[in-house]
Amino acid sequence: VIFGGDGLNKILEMFRVSEDMPVEAPQVTEALDKVQKAVEEKYRDIRREIFNFDEVLNGQRRAIYKKRRDILSYSPEESVGMMREYNGQTVESIVQAQTDSSTGEVDVAKVLEKIYQFFPPVAPLLKESDIASMDAESTTACAKAAVDEVFMSKTREMKNLGKTTNYITLVTMDNAWSDHLQAMENAKETVVLRQYQGRDPVQEYNDEAFRLFQGLEGNMRNNAVFS
């Protein structure tokens, strides 16, 4: 045997086929048939996993493309409304991240640091003394009001803010989706290895894909607001 000789020799040894036995002998044929069936079954499983992986990603792709089509069709007023919603969600996320889950205490300094980072013009309107004694819900409401006041003032100054908002949102969405595709590809490689730990790679991929998609939506929103 010239090509793949070592591999074939191991197979023949595994099935106790002697070197002087003819290739057309029934024992050799049976051994090779078993190997062929094992290989075909393995690749059938791989193809099934790949199909399931692709279905998960296709579901996410449909959701993102629908959102993109919706944004393209938005009127300037709808675009402004979408950005106001993004602003509010960003404030909620900031306050939640800086609230102690056990005591409910809000780290006001950290909240203001993050809000000033995302919404610099809010600084003159929202001071530490304004929210120092508030709980998370009241802090969120106060910060939202300040952010919304500044944003609506901008919409009155910039008549084309709706179109600008549309453009920024689409660009940040496309960039975030591109990064997400790479993250999903990395996840695919990772979960395949987990089957050697006795885990179901398809279920692992589903869980990882859900987590990444949640992060994708957050990234798109934060990047649009920050821009």
Side-chain angles (χ1 to χ4, degrees):
V1 179
I2 298 176
F3 301 105
D6 292 339
L8 184 56
N9 285 335
K10 290 179 181 178
I11 292 172
L12 295 179
E13 289 175 7
M14 184 186 304
F15 290 97
R16 295 191 172 93
V17 178
S18 61
E19 293 184 3
D20 58 350
M21 184 178 293
V23 175
E24 65 272 11
Q27 293 93 327
V28 177
T29 301
E30 183 181 356
L32 294 177
D33 283 345
K34 288 181 178 179
V35 172
Q36 179 68 24
K37 288 180 181 178
V39 171
E40 289 177 354
E41 183 65 28
K42 179 63 177 176
Y43 277 96
R44 186 157 48 245
D45 291 342
I46 292 174
R47 286 194 297 271
R48 189 181 302 118
E49 288 177 2
I50 291 174
F51 175 77
N52 288 328
F53 289 167
D54 288 345
E55 279 300 293
V56 172
L57 186 57
N58 284 338
Q60 295 185 351
R61 182 178 285 109
R62 285 191 292 269
I64 289 296
Y65 284 9
K66 180 184 183 305
K67 189 175 185 68
R68 200 179 192 285
R69 286 193 301 271
D70 290 344
I71 292 174
L72 281 170
S73 65
Y74 278 175
S75 66
E77 292 75 21
E78 288 174 320
S79 295
V80 168
M82 175 188 65
M83 188 55 68
R84 291 179 74 183
E85 185 177 341
Y86 280 1
N87 291 342
Q89 290 171 349
T90 301
V91 170
E92 289 174 4
S93 296
I94 290 173
V95 176
Q96 183 179 13
Q98 303 304 329
T99 300
D100 190 303
S101 58
S102 57
T103 65
E105 184 178 350
V106 180
D107 188 334
V108 175
K110 285 287 187 182
V111 166
L112 290 178
E113 179 185 338
K114 285 293 183 182
I115 286 179
Y116 294 165
Q117 180 183 345
F118 278 92
F119 312 100
V122 171
L125 298 180
L126 190 64
K127 301 295 184 180
E128 187 168 344
S129 58
D130 297 330
I131 56 176
S133 59
M134 293 182 178
D135 60 13
E137 185 177 352
S138 298
T139 299
T140 300
C142 186
K144 276 185 175 181
V147 168
D148 199 53
E149 181 179 340
V150 169
F151 181 73
M152 294 309 294
S153 176
K154 285 288 184 184
T155 62
R156 289 188 289 271
E157 294 174 10
M158 301 172 59
K159 299 304 181 183
N160 62 341
L161 186 60
K163 291 182 179 179
T164 303
T165 296
N166 243 3
Y167 174 77
I168 290 174
T169 304
L170 290 172
V171 169
T172 55
M173 176 181 287
D174 291 344
N175 290 338
W177 176 245
S178 178
D179 293 340
H180 179 73
L181 290 177
Q182 183 58 57
M184 290 288 283
E185 190 63 31
N186 294 340
K188 187 187 299 183
E189 296 176 5
T190 301
V191 300
V192 167
L193 298 176
R194 292 180 191 170
Q195 64 184 327
Y196 298 110
Q197 300 175 337
R199 302 182 187 179
D200 178 3
V202 176
Q203 185 58 51
E204 290 286 314
Y205 186 72
N206 274 325
D207 295 342
E208 194 71 13
F210 179 74
R211 183 186 67 80
L212 289 172
F213 193 71
Q214 285 185 313
L216 166 67
E217 293 180 317
N219 287 338
M220 289 189 305
R221 183 196 70 216
N222 289 340
N223 291 340
V225 169
F226 193 71
S227 299

